[in-house]
Structure formats: structure tokens, C-alpha cells
Amino acid sequence: MTRAEGKALSIGDWRVSPAEDLLQRGDELVRLEPKAMEVLVYLASRPGDVVTREELERDVWRGAVVGYDAVTNTVIKLRKALQDDARQPRFIATVPKKGYQLIAPVTQPDDDAHPAAVATVAPSPAAGPSSRPSWMTGATGKVLAGLAVILVIGLVALGVVNHSGQAGPPSIVVLPFENISNDTRQDYLADGITEDIITDLSRLSGLMVMSRATSSSFKGRDVAPDVIGKDLGVQYVLKGSVQRQGAKVRVSAQLVDTRTSANAWGQRFDRDASQVFSVQDEVTHRIVEALAIRITTQEKHRLAQKATASLEAYDFFQEGKRLSRVSTKQTNEQARVAFRKAIQLDPNYGRAYGSIAYTLTFDYLRGWAENPNEALDRALVLAKKAVVLDDSTPQTYWVLGFAHLARKEYADAEKAAEESTRVAPNFADGYGLLALIDANLNKPKEAIALIKKGMRLNPYYTWEYLYIQGIAHYALGEYDDAIKVLEDAEKRNDNVAQIKLFLAASYVGAGRPGDAKWTVANLQTLSPTTTVTETANTIPIADPKLKQALLTDLRKAGLPE
């Protein structure tokens, strides 16, 4: 059961309507944000239980990378809506170092009676978390100008060989490698190996590779290869594990044919930890051999290029990537520190320079930089250096395109994005960046075509797909379609201010001023400094008429100057 499908219930003296995101007490009506309602419904499914932050992130945010304050701020919004006091709570109590507890009585309608007739469910004593109900198995920072959204978009792969026997290249998904060390800090290494193998394989034009986003959706899940094959339409699954103990590392990898569940290849590597990069190379080459993939001379050259030979630098780089994905001002700064440490250990680490360029561009877009123009200039210098140091990696070209787009240098941005897809024909982020460029160049039909292609090839798409599609529908004047996809994007990530900007403008276009003003009010809570002027200065829409239409709609929605 989803929030939208949830039945009305009562919590204390409030009647809760999940499908409408409404609270009612007598004549008093309060509207909740969708994510806040999901949290409330989740707590109500376990009255009296102490629900941990980790459980909320796992089951309500569905494993999405969110800032530490996301849960806290949502609970604050709930308390405000319920008119609760954190010090003397009547509804939601905070249990220090454990989580949150719904202490108000929960009542639900009797299925065979009038809604007024309810059966009381008494809260259980405050003990440890109970098991989750079977229906509750699933659901970063605002991005001014929406440029920091292309982390996951799908891949372009035509002529795929599928289970119907159509001709084309073989297809594969690389599942997240499992960290079987006793040290959870080694998650960085397992995640890094997974992503690097995906990147290496994405360089091969003779293979269709599912994106990192699709791969990540299987993290922590035990799904049979044949089920994955049917779900994604892929022929092969690569799964593995990593165990690092001191100076030694053990990597196990297994290539499974999803049609027969038979092993196409498998091997265990026991090496010095410093040799982990050669293990990645060997895994890639074994897959190429097992699937009889023909690779070009250029592809061989690119595969031979390695980002770094320093495992310590690699560790800092992976830590920086994890921090940057949280997308808060603090974690962005911490990520930059980690990337700089990686460069100190390996001054030729191209991707580390590119990642610093990304954080500086993100600072500019979020309004965090003390000197915005200086930050953007520095980002471009570092992005160019990243390409010089590592021109065989699609990510360095992507960052260069990202920096150019933030600077509204559209031709250069498009050139860099296209180069990323030339280096790696399966590189999902490159096609996503091209779609975003098209949207900002007011070429919405081209942008929609790219995004829909990504959605077909990456069924586990995230809010970024929907956000770009929403921009394109808004540009076409298809406001109802824009609202549909942007509302979906907002449900998937309620902390992105740019989604709310285009959603508010779309509500205005659709003749729904009340919804537009409510969305802007929520935006102001999320980002009080967001104004029409700031949006005008940072948003990279190239077409003057489209830009002016957006700003006019935002004024009508109540966004302050």
C-alpha cells in the first residue's frame, strides 16, 4: 500500500487522509507535504514502537542518499502541523540515540461500518522496533538551475539482444559488490569497484551495460538472476564480494546467464590490497572473453588507462564521492577536502580534479560560494585539467560539460557531453547531460526523446529523469504533463528546490494558483534565500522568452523578488 492508497485514520484528535495529504480536526484543515505524510503513515503503522532514523531512510526515503537533516526537518514539520511540543510531546516523542515514537492513540475505520465507527489500536510499550508491515517496503539538497541532477539517467544502447532473441550486443547489469569485511568503512572499496567495472564496461560499444542507478537499486537485496533478467531484459548478471583485511584483499566475481542461471564465468582473486586495480582489469577482461565481445583498438587503449595507482588516494576519492552525493553545504566542503587529499597522494588523479570542479560548480548553483564567479572560474580550470590528465574517462568530460553549462556556454557544454558518450557509448550521465542541455536550449522534444529512451533502458530511473522531462513539458506548454512528472519527482526527493520552482510555475500555467502558492511556501521553508532575482541570475535557460515566462509564472506563484 502506498501513501496515496492509504485509508483514512485518526491519530489522537486528528483525522488523517493520506491520499489527500490532509489533517483535519473539527473545522481546522492542515495540508502536509507528501514526504511528511509518508513518515506519519509509517509511524502510525507501528504505534508505540521506537522507529530508528535508519528505518525511516530505508523504508520512506527508499534508500535514497539524503542529508542528515532530512528526517529531522520532516519530523519538525509534522510536529508543527500536529501542534505538538517536542519537550512535552502528545504525538511524536524523540527517544535519544534511538529514534522516534508515535505515542498518540491510532484508530482506523472499521471496513464494514461507517467511517465514524473506529476500532482503537492501543500503543504498545516503548520497546525496540517491531517488524515492518509487508506493505511498507520501499520510499538532495535543492539544486538551483537543476544542473546537479545528472548522476543517474539511463544508457543509450540500440539493438540490444534480449530474451526474445533479437539481434544485437549482449547485455549486462553489474550488481553492487558486497563488502564482507568486518569493517563497514570498506563499503567505499566495494562501491568503488562496482562503479569502476560499470565504467570500464560502458566504454565497450559491443556491450549494453545498465547504469549505476539501476545497479544501486539492488544493493542489499537478494534477487535471483532469472528474476533480474526478466525485470531488466538483460542476459547476464555480474555479482561479487570484496573482503579487505590489512594489506590483503579478496575479490570474488561471478558472471551468471539469467536465461539458464548457469555460471558463464567465476573466479576468486587473493591479492595485495595495492593490486585491487589489476583485479578490476582482470574481471573486465574475463567478461569480454566470456561473452566473446570484439573491442576496438581505441577501446583497448581506454581500458588500459587507470585513474590512479594509489589505493590510499582511491579511498579518499570514494569517501569524497559519498559525501558529495549527500548534497549539503557541509558535506560538499568535506568532499572537497577528501578530493584534495586524494590529489596530494596522486597529483595526476584526473577524476579527483574533476570532482573538485563539480563541488565548486555545485557551490555556485546553491548560492554557497563566497565569491560565485571566482568559484565558477576555478571549476572550469580544474575541469579542463581533469580532461588533460585523464581523457579516457567519461566522467572528466561530463564535469567539463557541467561547468560550461553552469556558465551558460552551451556549445562547449554540448561538445564535452558528446565527447563523454564517444569515450563511453553506454555512459548514462553523458546522455542525461545532453538532455538537460537540450531542455535549457528550448529543444524540449529532443530532451523528452532522450529521457524516454533512458527510462526504457533504465527502469529504475530516479527523480532526475522526471525533473528534466518536467522542464521539457513546461517549455511545450503541456502543464498537466509537467505537473504529473514533477509531482512524482518531488515525491522521490522532496529536498530539491528546483523541482518546486518548475512545479509552482506549472501550477500557474494550469490555472491552479492555490497549489502554486502552497508549493512556493514550501520552497521558502526549504530555501528562504530563493528569489526571482537569484533564479534569473543562475538558471541556464538560453531562450529569453522561455526564461521570462518562467520568471513571470514564479512571480504569480508568490516567489519574492
Side-chain angles (χ1 to χ4, degrees):
M1 178 186 292
T2 65
R3 172 188 56 81
E5 296 167 344
K7 294 181 179 180
L9 65 151
S10 293
I11 299 177
D13 52 357
W14 287 98
R15 181 171 175 81
V16 182
S17 300
E20 300 172 311
D21 294 322
L22 286 177
L23 301 177
Q24 182 176 4
R25 183 169 60 183
D27 295 332
E28 189 175 5
L29 285 175
V30 178
R31 185 174 180 181
L32 289 180
E33 295 180 8
K35 189 62 65 179
M37 180 59 78
E38 288 187 56
V39 171
L40 183 60
V41 170
Y42 186 81
L43 294 173
S45 74
R46 298 171 51 178
D49 287 343
V50 177
V51 177
T52 67
R53 174 183 297 271
E54 290 75 18
E55 288 177 302
L56 288 169
E57 291 180 353
R58 180 190 66 203
D59 296 335
V60 178
W61 274 265
R62 290 186 282 271
V65 179
V66 296
Y68 183 83
D69 291 338
V71 175
T72 302
N73 290 339
T74 302
V75 173
I76 289 173
K77 292 177 183 178
L78 275 178
R79 284 186 172 133
K80 182 178 179 180
L82 294 166
Q83 300 175 23
D84 200 16
D85 186 343
R87 295 184 179 182
Q88 296 179 325
R90 295 181 300 112
F91 293 92
I92 302 174
T94 298
V95 182
K97 298 182 180 181
K98 290 185 178 181
Y100 301 99
Q101 180 185 30
L102 186 66
I103 58 177
V106 177
T107 58
Q108 295 176 329
D110 188 331
D111 289 340
D112 298 324
H114 187 275
V118 295
T120 301
V121 181
S124 59
S130 66
S131 60
R132 304 190 311 279
S134 60
W135 58 268
M136 192 65 75
T137 59
T140 33
K142 72 146 178 158
V143 183
L144 288 176
L147 297 175
V149 302
I150 313 302
L151 293 176
V152 282
I153 302 293
L155 55 100
V156 170
L158 300 176
V160 58
V161 173
N162 57 33
H163 293 290
S164 64
Q166 294 176 321
S171 51
I172 187 172
V173 59
V174 180
L175 299 183
F177 274 50
E178 182 184 1
N179 170 29
I180 59 175
S181 307
N182 293 326
D183 185 0
T184 57
R185 291 175 297 180
Q186 299 309 319
D187 285 346
Y188 302 157
L189 181 60
D191 292 343
I193 289 175
T194 305
E195 185 169 359
D196 285 351
I197 291 175
I198 292 173
T199 297
D200 283 346
L201 293 176
S202 72
R203 294 169 174 169
L204 305 178
S205 57
L207 181 67
M208 172 186 147
V209 187
M210 298 304 286
S211 71
R212 182 182 63 83
T214 296
S215 169
S216 299
S217 69
F218 289 94
K219 188 168 186 177
R221 298 168 57 193
D222 185 14
V223 185
D226 62 326
V227 174
I228 295 174
K230 292 176 182 178
D231 188 15
L232 300 180
V234 295
Q235 294 168 294
Y236 296 96
V237 166
L238 180 71
K239 57 183 181 178
S241 62
V242 181
Q243 185 175 17
R244 182 176 175 183
Q245 292 183 333
K248 298 292 182 181
V249 64
R250 169 176 290 180
V251 179
S252 297
Q254 186 179 17
L255 183 66
V256 181
D257 189 323
T258 63
R259 296 160 296 182
T260 63
S261 295
N263 289 346
W265 166 80
Q267 192 168 342
R268 188 180 73 186
F269 304 87
D270 289 303
R271 305 282 175 84
D272 291 336
S274 60
Q275 296 178 303
V276 68
F277 306 114
S278 65
V279 172
Q280 293 177 5
D281 291 344
E282 198 161 344
V283 170
T284 300
H285 283 96
R286 292 292 178 268
I287 293 172
V288 169
E289 292 175 357
L291 303 184
I293 299 169
R294 296 181 63 181
I295 59 177
T296 67
T297 302
Q298 282 187 330
E299 289 170 348
K300 288 179 181 178
H301 173 73
R302 291 173 191 145
L303 287 175
Q305 306 302 308
K306 287 296 135 188
T308 183
S310 169
L311 183 58
E312 191 175 359
Y314 186 76
D315 283 343
F316 279 118
F317 177 73
Q318 293 300 327
E319 179 184 1
K321 288 185 64 178
R322 180 189 66 82
L323 289 165
S324 68
R325 289 185 183 126
V326 178
S327 302
T328 66
K329 186 176 187 294
Q330 181 182 13
T331 57
N332 210 44
E333 293 171 350
Q334 291 170 342
R336 199 151 47 234
V337 171
F339 293 136
R340 286 173 179 152
K341 289 180 179 178
I343 290 172
Q344 288 173 1
L345 293 163
D346 182 356
N348 295 317
Y349 202 161
R351 286 194 63 187
Y353 287 98
S355 295
I356 293 178
Y358 173 83
T359 63
L360 290 170
T361 306
F362 201 53
D363 272 353
Y364 167 80
L365 298 171
R366 295 294 301 275
W368 295 335
E370 293 184 6
N371 190 325
N373 292 331
E374 183 179 314
L376 208 52
D377 289 343
R378 181 61 178 163
L380 184 62
V381 170
L382 290 173
K384 289 181 176 179
K385 184 171 184 177
V387 170
V388 170
L389 291 172
D390 188 353
D391 63 355
S392 67
T393 303
Q395 288 91 345
T396 58
Y397 286 105
W398 182 90
V399 171
L400 180 60
F402 181 65
H404 277 305
L405 182 56
R407 297 166 64 88
K408 304 178 185 178
E409 298 165 349
Y410 306 103
D412 290 332
E414 191 169 28
K415 181 179 178 181
E418 288 175 344
E419 191 66 18
S420 75
T421 61
R422 185 189 67 80
V423 169
N426 287 308
F427 183 53
D429 294 355
Y431 295 103
L433 183 55
L434 285 170
L436 185 59
I437 293 169
D438 279 346
N440 283 291
L441 288 174
N442 201 12
K443 297 194 290 187
K445 292 183 179 179
E446 290 88 340
I448 289 174
L450 281 168
I451 290 302
K452 286 189 174 180
K453 184 182 295 183
M455 289 177 173
R456 288 195 302 270
L457 296 172
N458 182 7
Y460 287 88
Y461 58 85
T462 56
W463 64 270
E464 290 91 346
Y465 288 86
L466 298 163
Y467 166 73
I468 295 173
Q469 189 179 5
I471 296 176
H473 282 304
Y474 174 81
L476 289 168
E478 298 170 349
Y479 302 118
D480 289 338
D481 290 334
I483 290 168
K484 181 179 179 181
V485 294
L486 289 170
E487 284 182 340
D488 195 356
E490 186 181 42
K491 290 175 184 176
R492 297 178 187 224
N493 193 331
D494 193 39
N495 295 316
V496 181
Q498 186 67 9
I499 296 174
K500 297 182 188 298
L501 283 173
F502 276 93
L503 183 56
S506 297
Y507 280 138
V508 171
R512 296 167 59 178
D515 288 326
K517 292 183 183 300
W518 185 79
T519 300
V520 166
N522 286 328
L523 171 61
Q524 290 289 287
T525 300
L526 174 67
S527 177
T529 60
T530 298
T531 62
V532 172
T533 301
E534 184 184 26
T535 302
N537 290 336
T538 58
I539 201 159
I541 295 177
D543 183 75
K545 290 183 179 180
L546 177 60
K547 183 175 180 179
Q548 190 57 47
L550 174 67
L551 298 178
T552 298
D553 285 342
L554 290 175
R555 289 187 179 97
K556 291 179 180 178
L559 189 67
E561 287 292 332

